[in-house]
Amino acid sequence: MRLGLNKFLSPFRTIVVSYVVAMFFFSLLLFLPFVTQEGTSVSYSEALFTSVSAVSVTGLTVINVSETFNWIGIVILALAIQLGGIGVMTLGTFVWMVLGRKIPLSQRMLIMVDQNQISFSGLVKLMRGILGVAIAIELIGALILGTYYLNYFDTAFEAYYQGTFSALAAFTNAGFDITGQSLVPFVDDYFVQLVHILLIFSGAVGFPVLMEIKEYFSSKNPHFRFSLFTKIAVSTYFIVFAIGGAGLWLIERTEFYDGMPWHQQLFFSMFNSATARSGGLSTMDMNELTLASLLLMSGLMIIGASPSSVGGGIRTTTLAVMFLTIRSFALGRSDVKVFGREIHPEDKQKAFIVLSVFAVGLFASVIMISAFEGSGDFALMAIIFETSSAFGTVGLSMGITPDLSQASQITLMILMLIGRVGLVAFLFAIRAEEKKTHYRYPTERIIIG
Amino acid sequence: MRLGLNKFLSPFRTIVVSYVVAMFFFSLLLFLPFVTQEGTSVSYSEALFTSVSAVSVTGLTVINVSETFNWIGIVILALAIQLGGIGVMTLGTFVWMVLGRKIPLSQRMLIMVDQNQISFSGLVKLMRGILGVAIAIELIGALILGTYYLNYFDTAFEAYYQGTFSALAAFTNAGFDITGQSLVPFVDDYFVQLVHILLIFSGAVGFPVLMEIKEYFSSKNPHFRFSLFTKIAVSTYFIVFAIGGAGLWLIERTEFYDGMPWHQQLFFSMFNSATARSGGLSTMDMNELTLASLLLMSGLMIIGASPSSVGGGIRTTTLAVMFLTIRSFALGRSDVKVFGREIHPEDKQKAFIVLSVFAVGLFASVIMISAFEGSGDFALMAIIFETSSAFGTVGLSMGITPDLSQASQITLMILMLIGRVGLVAFLFAIRAEEKKTHYRYPTERIIIG
Ligand SMILES: [K+]
Ligand SMILES: [K+]
């Protein structure tokens, strides 16, 4: 903005550019010779893929992170995840706040866009709140996991090092691990899994939801009510979580789950349904699942988390508006009502656009990767799985990503970038010009995309 | 309606019920002992699948039609195709017209709905026109193909028998064949392929388009202009046809097409792109195509033909409204304009609903069939291909349909029924009650879904 590029750099474009700059910046840091372990090194394309995956809080990798980077590399990775997870704009503005600068309106608008907020009011408060809540949750998670990991690791340092990275990765839904095999070592430790599920939820349910819950418990305002966004986002998030878990159980009960005790079946179903919605950590090898489950997992990855969260996908509110619109059509109504409010026509339009662009983008990417790889080398299921994982910034993998061609890996990087920016923001970024439209319906706005 | 079921049988429900009745009716006829060749017989489930496929003009089969049925069975099949292709309601009403009965308004509304028309005016004329044009095109096709087939078959009867069935199957986009191997015997006969492509186009481009072209050439009205529907439907139909053909060529030029002369590459690309849009006939074994092409073919099957045609899919106008909406958003506009007109908000909503329901239905069906079949027996590509083919009423096959379980075959039958009825009509059929909505924008209506 200081370079006089104001005209080109609309708020949305600035966000896209900021993510891209952060991705290249961290790729250079991860390419430094002293961040890898003795005897290992990374190529620039490996460093770039790792950086894009970290800044977009995805978790897909072309290298084994824990066997490649030393502690300096891991700290750089953690910083990239934190920056990507909590928002390039939020952190950047926080730095300026700390330096005592007054936040200009254009800057506040950027945060608004990055966090997909639609009102200026209380923006600085919101941003401070987000950072505060995020860091508080991460610290509590690190403390609980680190202390508990004393049972698993030889030194306290190693336990808290692992616990801190794990809490960070879980809350930011980053999907990275430094165990070398995700959460597979904790497949029988339900406590560890529950803590991770709660951290994944906290990051993915949406920052405005966290803020409203905080306000609900701390507010003296007797008229406090949850926003339509919070009601839709939370209910959709958990309905899909329940359907996903139940679906996995129905499909696998006679297959992968055959012969397991009920609590193991329950935790595999719960953890997989939770992690597919952007988490990206896993307690099992995805290749153990049957075809139907892998498709269901892909569907959950595509749906993803809430807007204004660390997660990706078409987002919960898009899915909700889609089903509400179908329902209202089936009931013979032209307006779309829920929780005593009406959905704004513009939000319906956004949902339509997000769904369309996501469907076309996913389909085109799967075809392109299939074409890049030639026929027969990789199963279609694996290609669909990795593509959904990248576009939904999830990070779950059937293991083929390191073996894909450069062209396919570049495709996945682009999907991770767009997936993290969010389709609505991305479309606004490539939009020619903005024109305000005026509707006269009595509606309350929610966040889409 | 005569049974006093008026209240339950809304026009849309009547259409669904009529198709279902026709499907069961023809399944009984095809189950008769004297319609099969000596030494062969069909089970009732095979007869039902064949009937559903014929009435929905799909062309997926669980039996080899040419080796199973005698000429009586083939004639029954042809009648089922004709009834399904030109419309249960249109033909039914035509019979009543011939019997001299005055067509009541409720009846006219049924045709309107079945052919997805949105104006009452000129309805009877339209219906007569559709039947006249359809039968004229079929007769011309039968004459051309039959005469040309004198080169291929021993007797004139056999040549015209084959030519007539072929013209009927091509125009109704039914995808059935009585050669036993679709159009593979004509893989080097470009004349036969061109005639079939033209017949497929005629059936799939939309009846209103045919009527307007007829009017354009015969009308004395100097103010005649093509409707927005015709402009959108025709341009979308052929743009997708061109992109599909070019995409297939790009993918296969170093694979299946490797070493072929250019004209053979051209005709494989053209014929596959045309037939995937609902035709269902084929000049090659689909398993010869690479993964990327099979996905592209599935995409073409999902897009499908125009509304008010013999074809299926999400339909050309849905795709067009989707892209126009994205374009207008990218241009910063809130209204969606094309060809100097504005798309009606209700049509945007319908497109959104059709797209959503189709996506959810397809995805759920692929998961269900994967689950029914257990893991590993069939490749995901084949399951996606057959499911897209059934939902899009296309009839192309990778050959797995006969080997699927009963549950999967029932899923395909339901998809064929819904695909033929059309999603908009189907949703209206299950709709609780209808309420008119009034918009005040100056718009011209087009047909969706
Ligand atoms: K992730
Ligand atoms: K067909």
Side-chain angles (χ1 to χ4, degrees):
Chain A
M1 316 272 292
R2 292 179 191 158
L3 303 169
L5 292 172
N6 290 30
K7 209 164 183 183
F8 173 76
L9 288 177
S10 71
F12 297 98
R13 282 182 191 157
T14 309
I15 287 174
V16 175
V17 169
S18 303
Y19 275 113
V20 171
V21 168
M23 284 166 177
F24 279 107
F25 175 71
F26 281 102
S27 76
L28 292 174
L29 291 187
L30 291 173
F31 190 48
L32 292 173
F34 54 84
V35 305
T36 51
Q37 292 173 25
E38 243 183 82
T40 65
S41 68
V42 294
S43 68
Y44 181 69
S45 71
E46 288 168 342
L48 182 63
F49 195 95
T50 309
S51 173
V52 170
S53 183
V55 172
S56 67
V57 287
T58 304
L60 282 176
T61 48
V62 290
I63 50 171
N64 186 318
V65 165
S66 66
E67 289 171 10
T68 306
F69 293 110
N70 60 23
W71 71 269
I72 308 174
I74 297 296
V75 168
I76 293 170
L77 195 67
L79 286 174
I81 289 169
Q82 189 75 321
L83 190 76
I86 302 182
V88 172
M89 287 302 106
T90 315
L91 271 193
T93 317
F94 180 71
V95 172
W96 286 353
M97 273 178 59
V98 169
L99 295 177
R101 285 181 56 153
K102 193 172 172 295
I103 300 170
L105 186 72
S106 68
Q107 216 41 46
R108 278 187 279 157
M109 201 176 149
L110 281 181
I111 313 166
M112 179 197 92
V113 166
D114 193 34
Q115 295 300 342
N116 224 336
Q117 286 300 312
I118 42 185
S119 151
F120 278 112
S121 57
L123 198 62
V124 173
K125 202 186 123 202
L126 174 73
M127 195 207 54
R128 265 210 203 100
I130 288 175
L131 265 181
V133 168
I135 290 170
I137 293 177
E138 285 174 353
L139 281 178
I140 294 169
L143 200 68
I144 294 174
L145 285 177
T147 308
Y148 189 80
Y149 281 176
L150 292 172
N151 303 323
Y152 280 95
F153 296 95
D154 293 335
T155 65
F157 175 80
E158 181 70 11
Y160 282 101
Y161 175 62
Q162 290 275 352
T164 305
F165 190 92
S166 214
L168 178 72
F171 176 74
T172 57
N173 279 229
F176 280 91
D177 64 89
I178 51 172
T179 63
Q181 39 182 335
S182 203
L183 293 185
V184 174
F186 306 103
V187 65
D188 294 319
D189 193 325
Y190 300 147
F191 178 77
V192 169
Q193 291 182 40
L194 263 183
V195 173
H196 278 88
I197 288 176
L198 289 176
L199 286 169
I200 290 172
F201 281 166
S202 313
V205 78
F207 290 128
V209 174
L210 298 182
M211 302 311 296
E212 287 188 26
I213 291 172
K214 195 183 145 200
E215 197 176 332
Y216 177 74
F217 284 111
S218 66
S219 171
K220 285 133 211 151
N221 178 4
H223 300 295
F224 176 84
R225 56 174 280 279
F226 286 106
S227 69
L228 183 61
F229 168 74
T230 286
K231 287 175 188 164
I232 292 180
V234 171
S235 52
T236 309
Y237 190 89
F238 288 105
I239 289 170
V240 175
F241 170 66
I243 292 173
L248 288 172
W249 180 79
L250 272 175
I251 296 167
E252 295 296 344
R253 71 192 193 286
T254 55
E255 306 273 339
F256 177 60
Y257 294 169
D258 196 32
M260 284 183 194
W262 66 268
H263 46 86
Q264 205 169 359
Q265 300 190 16
L266 176 72
F267 267 84
F268 271 126
S269 300
M270 268 175 41
F271 197 87
N272 279 327
S273 184
T275 196
R277 298 289 293 292
S278 270
L281 297 166
S282 63
T283 55
M284 60 177 289
D285 179 355
M286 288 295 124
N287 292 289
E288 304 255 19
L289 293 171
T290 57
L291 186 58
S293 291
L294 290 167
L295 284 168
L296 180 57
M297 291 288 281
S298 302
L300 295 173
M301 294 197 282
I302 290 165
I303 293 169
S306 294
S308 282
S309 80
V310 294
I314 62 168
R315 316 288 162 105
T316 49
T317 46
T318 306
L319 186 80
V321 169
M322 184 182 113
F323 274 105
L324 291 171
T325 306
I326 294 171
R327 191 195 63 168
S328 89
F329 182 82
L331 293 175
R333 291 189 200 135
S334 65
D335 52 348
V336 177
K337 286 185 182 135
V338 65
F339 291 122
R341 300 272 159 171
E342 192 179 326
I343 303 288
H344 196 285
E346 222 177 278
D347 290 332
K348 283 200 284 183
Q349 168 137 332
K350 273 188 193 167
F352 178 28
I353 289 169
V354 167
L355 193 77
S356 306
V357 174
F358 204 98
V360 172
L362 190 74
F363 189 74
S365 304
V366 170
I367 288 188
M368 277 165 57
I369 292 175
S370 300
F372 293 150
E373 301 305 321
S375 56
D377 285 350
F378 298 102
L380 176 60
M381 187 59 246
I383 295 176
I384 292 177
F385 198 87
E386 309 293 282
T387 309
S388 308
S389 181
F391 211 3
T393 67
V394 178
L396 290 174
S397 173
M398 286 179 67
I400 68 165
T401 294
D403 303 322
L404 292 175
S405 65
Q406 285 276 307
S408 298
Q409 289 184 358
I410 291 170
T411 309
L412 292 183
M413 284 193 257
I414 294 170
L415 290 177
M416 289 191 274
L417 169 66
I418 299 175
R420 179 59 193 136
V421 171
L423 281 177
V424 167
F426 186 77
L427 287 171
F428 268 110
I430 59 171
R431 198 168 173 162
E433 61 188 75
E434 294 173 60
K435 285 179 193 168
K436 286 257 173 281
T437 50
H438 302 282
Y439 287 92
R440 286 154 302 176
Y441 311 129
T443 51
E444 186 188 21
R445 305 298 310 266
I446 63 156
I447 311 168
I448 291 287
Chain B
M1 316 272 291
R2 291 180 191 158
L3 303 170
L5 294 171
N6 289 32
K7 210 164 182 184
F8 173 75
L9 288 177
S10 72
F12 297 98
R13 283 183 191 156
T14 309
I15 288 174
V16 176
V17 170
S18 303
Y19 275 113
V20 172
V21 168
M23 284 165 176
F24 280 107
F25 175 71
F26 281 103
S27 76
L28 293 175
L29 291 188
L30 291 172
F31 190 49
L32 292 173
F34 54 84
V35 305
T36 50
Q37 292 173 23
E38 243 184 81
T40 65
S41 67
V42 293
S43 68
Y44 180 69
S45 70
E46 288 168 341
L48 182 63
F49 195 94
T50 309
S51 173
V52 170
S53 183
V55 172
S56 67
V57 287
T58 303
L60 282 175
T61 49
V62 290
I63 50 170
N64 186 318
V65 165
S66 66
E67 288 172 11
T68 307
F69 293 110
N70 60 23
W71 71 269
I72 308 173
I74 298 296
V75 168
I76 293 169
L77 195 66
L79 286 175
I81 289 169
Q82 190 76 320
L83 191 75
I86 302 182
V88 171
M89 286 303 106
T90 316
L91 271 192
T93 317
F94 181 71
V95 171
W96 286 355
M97 273 179 59
V98 169
L99 295 176
R101 285 180 55 154
K102 193 173 172 293
I103 301 170
L105 187 71
S106 68
Q107 216 40 49
R108 278 188 278 157
M109 200 176 148
L110 281 181
I111 312 166
M112 181 198 89
V113 166
D114 193 34
Q115 296 300 341
N116 223 337
Q117 287 300 313
I118 41 186
S119 150
F120 279 112
S121 56
L123 198 63
V124 173
K125 203 186 121 199
L126 173 73
M127 197 208 52
R128 264 210 203 101
I130 288 175
L131 265 181
V133 168
I135 290 171
I137 293 176
E138 285 174 353
L139 280 178
I140 295 169
L143 202 67
I144 293 173
L145 285 177
T147 308
Y148 189 81
Y149 281 175
L150 292 171
N151 302 322
Y152 280 94
F153 295 95
D154 294 335
T155 65
F157 174 80
E158 182 69 10
Y160 283 101
Y161 175 61
Q162 289 275 352
T164 305
F165 190 91
S166 214
L168 178 71
F171 176 74
T172 56
N173 280 229
F176 280 92
D177 65 88
I178 52 172
T179 64
Q181 40 182 335
S182 202
L183 293 186
V184 174
F186 304 104
V187 65
D188 294 318
D189 193 325
Y190 300 147
F191 178 76
V192 169
Q193 291 182 40
L194 264 183
V195 173
H196 278 87
I197 288 175
L198 289 176
L199 286 168
I200 289 172
F201 281 166
S202 313
V205 78
F207 290 129
V209 175
L210 298 182
M211 301 311 295
E212 287 188 26
I213 290 173
K214 194 183 146 201
E215 198 176 332
Y216 177 74
F217 284 111
S218 67
S219 171
K220 284 134 213 150
N221 177 4
H223 300 295
F224 176 83
R225 56 174 281 279
F226 286 105
S227 68
L228 182 61
F229 169 74
T230 285
K231 287 175 188 165
I232 292 180
V234 171
S235 52
T236 310
Y237 190 90
F238 288 106
I239 289 170
V240 176
F241 170 66
I243 292 173
L248 288 172
W249 181 79
L250 272 175
I251 296 167
E252 296 295 346
R253 73 193 193 286
T254 55
E255 306 274 338
F256 178 59
Y257 292 170
D258 196 32
M260 283 183 194
W262 67 268
H263 46 84
Q264 206 170 358
Q265 301 189 16
L266 176 72
F267 267 83
F268 271 127
S269 300
M270 269 176 41
F271 197 87
N272 279 327
S273 183
T275 197
R277 299 287 293 292
S278 271
L281 296 166
S282 62
T283 56
M284 61 178 288
D285 179 355
M286 287 296 124
N287 292 289
E288 303 256 20
L289 293 172
T290 57
L291 186 58
S293 292
L294 290 168
L295 284 167
L296 180 57
M297 291 288 282
S298 302
L300 295 173
M301 294 197 283
I302 290 164
I303 293 170
S306 294
S308 282
S309 79
V310 293
I314 62 168
R315 316 289 163 103
T316 49
T317 46
T318 306
L319 186 78
V321 169
M322 185 182 113
F323 275 104
L324 291 171
T325 307
I326 294 171
R327 191 194 63 167
S328 88
F329 182 81
L331 293 175
R333 290 189 202 136
S334 65
D335 52 347
V336 177
K337 284 183 184 138
V338 64
F339 292 122
R341 300 273 158 170
E342 192 180 324
I343 303 289
H344 197 286
E346 222 177 278
D347 291 331
K348 284 199 285 182
Q349 168 137 332
K350 273 188 193 168
F352 178 28
I353 289 169
V354 167
L355 193 76
S356 306
V357 175
F358 204 98
V360 172
L362 191 73
F363 188 74
S365 303
V366 170
I367 288 189
M368 277 165 58
I369 292 175
S370 300
F372 293 150
E373 300 306 320
S375 56
D377 284 350
F378 297 102
L380 175 60
M381 188 60 247
I383 295 175
I384 292 177
F385 198 87
E386 309 292 284
T387 309
S388 308
S389 181
F391 210 3
T393 68
V394 179
L396 290 174
S397 173
M398 287 178 67
I400 68 165
T401 294
D403 302 323
L404 292 175
S405 65
Q406 285 276 307
S408 298
Q409 289 184 358
I410 291 169
T411 309
L412 293 182
M413 284 194 259
I414 294 169
L415 290 177
M416 289 190 274
L417 169 65
I418 300 174
R420 179 61 193 134
V421 170
L423 281 177
V424 168
F426 186 78
L427 287 170
F428 269 110
I430 58 173
R431 198 169 174 161
E433 61 189 73
E434 294 172 61
K435 285 180 193 168
K436 284 260 174 277
T437 50
H438 300 284
Y439 287 91
R440 286 153 302 175
Y441 311 129
T443 51
E444 187 189 22
R445 305 299 309 268
I446 63 157
I447 311 167
I448 293 285

